[in-house]
């Protein structure tokens, strides 16, 4: 099994975050944005069901065989960080159905602030927070917030309704992340989701350049 990007040209992006923060909604939006530029497939993780994969299939944004559900049966982070075999198998199956240089999005099951992916499974990771869960969340830190490649602060349409201070949360995220990228979104109203898709495409370009440099070190 290929556990790193040495022989692989598909770009894999992990999407993690607390339960209900909007990971599946973001994945659906990203598929819609990205598929105009590049073929896409999706792996979803749920603990006991295939709920998120079924939800995505009902949207008819991709052929059903490009959406695969992993039932983790255990803590969500175990299946994306410690024992990644089920996710690797699902990603490789989707990649066998896609041309080279495609994108595979892997959604983790809803987890806590410590959820991060193994870089043996993915190339870049996005962590999704729900501002309606409290503007305190970014300063609470944890590897999902501090180490993800992109932090998405979602549900900004709800911020005012729950008395959350968006500007403060964005500033605290910048500090917690040492100025690594953060994008605030309302996936529900497609606010800034195109920026997240653009980030994914830029990261894919960098990934392909690096893969090409590794394959042809003398060029
Ligand atoms: N108001 C609002 N609702 C949102 C937004 N994004 C997602 N939702 C809603 O929030 C709920 C949870 O969204 P999901 O995408 O299922 O969240 P998730 O993180 O995938 O959830 P799990 O996989 O169960 O952890 C759904 O009812 C979405 O429609 C948003 O930007 N604004
Ligand atoms: Mg989900």
């Amino acid at each position: 099994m290929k556990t790193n990007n040495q022989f692989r040209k598909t770009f894999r992006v992990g999407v993690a975050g607390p339960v209900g923060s909007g990971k599946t909604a973001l994945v659906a939006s990203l598929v819609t944005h990205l598929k105009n530029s590049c073929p896409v497939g999706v792996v979803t993780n749920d603990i006991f069901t295939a709920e998120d994969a079924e939800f995505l299939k009902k949207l008819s944004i991709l052929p059903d065989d490009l959406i695969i559900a992993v039932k983790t049966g255990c803590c969500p982070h175990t299946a994306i960080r410690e024992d990644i075999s089920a996710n690797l198998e699902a990603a490789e199956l989707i990649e066998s159905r896609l041309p080279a240089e495609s994108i595979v999005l892997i959604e983790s099951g809803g987890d806590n602030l410590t959820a991060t992916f193994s870089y043996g499974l993915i190339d870049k990771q996005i962590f999704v927070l729900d501002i309606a869960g409290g503007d305190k969340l970014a300063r609470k830190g944890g590897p999902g917030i501090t180490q993800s490649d992109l932090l998405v602060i979602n549900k900004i349409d709800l911020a005012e309704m729950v008395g959350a201070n968006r500007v403060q949360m964005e500033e605290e995220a910048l500090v917690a992340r040492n100025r690594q990228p953060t994008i605030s979104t309302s996936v529900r109203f497609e606010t800034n989701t195109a920026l997240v898709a653009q980030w994914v495409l830029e990261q894919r370009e960098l990934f392909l350049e690096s893969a090409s440099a590794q394959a042809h070190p003398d060029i």
Side-chain angles (χ1 to χ4, degrees):
M1 225 177 261
K2 300 183 283 284
T3 56
N4 57 43
N5 69 7
Q6 200 174 354
F7 307 110
R8 176 168 54 77
K9 282 195 171 174
T10 316
F11 181 54
R12 296 183 191 154
V13 180
V15 180
V19 176
S21 60
K23 299 178 294 297
T24 307
L26 179 64
V27 166
S29 171
L30 285 177
V31 167
T32 307
H33 284 290
L34 294 170
K35 68 180 182 180
N36 298 325
S37 313
C38 169
V40 189
V42 176
V43 177
T44 64
N45 280 240
D46 274 299
I47 302 177
F48 301 118
T49 65
E51 175 91 20
D52 286 357
E54 295 307 326
F55 175 84
L56 292 172
K57 284 177 187 173
K58 278 192 195 129
L59 296 179
S60 302
I61 48 179
L62 281 180
D64 283 3
D65 67 344
L66 295 181
I67 302 172
I68 294 183
V70 170
K71 290 184 195 171
T72 59
C74 61
C75 292
H77 56 259
T78 304
I80 58 164
R81 193 171 57 221
E82 278 97 36
D83 179 4
I84 58 174
S85 51
N87 271 292
L88 269 182
E89 207 173 302
E92 288 176 2
L93 182 56
I94 287 190
E95 283 159 14
S96 72
R97 297 169 179 166
L98 286 168
E101 306 191 3
S102 302
I103 294 175
V104 172
L105 304 172
I106 304 178
E107 181 192 340
S108 165
D111 210 328
N112 56 36
L113 298 177
T114 68
T116 50
F117 286 81
S118 160
Y119 281 100
L121 176 62
I122 51 83
D123 303 299
K124 292 288 170 184
Q125 47 192 310
I126 300 174
F127 196 76
V128 185
L129 282 181
D130 170 4
I131 192 169
D135 55 19
K136 64 191 179 224
L137 275 181
R139 69 173 174 270
K140 284 203 168 188
I145 291 165
T146 57
Q147 292 170 25
S148 54
D149 299 295
L150 175 68
L151 180 71
V152 169
I153 298 175
N154 188 35
K155 304 197 192 181
I156 55 173
D157 55 292
L158 298 180
E160 240 180 79
M161 281 176 237
V162 298
N165 185 330
R166 174 180 160 187
V167 174
Q168 180 189 320
M169 188 168 177
E170 288 170 349
E171 283 169 3
E172 288 177 350
L174 276 178
V175 173
R177 291 173 54 68
N178 206 12
R179 311 200 86 74
Q180 286 299 298
T182 298
I183 299 176
S184 296
T185 60
S186 164
V187 178
R188 176 157 185 208
F189 294 104
E190 291 291 350
T191 311
N192 292 343
T193 50
L195 293 179
V196 181
Q198 191 187 327
W199 179 87
V200 171
L201 287 173
E202 285 166 6
Q203 296 303 313
R204 171 177 165 267
E205 282 306 308
L206 294 172
F207 167 82
L208 291 173
E209 278 169 25
S210 143
S212 165
Q214 279 174 32
H216 310 286
D218 300 331
I219 295 176

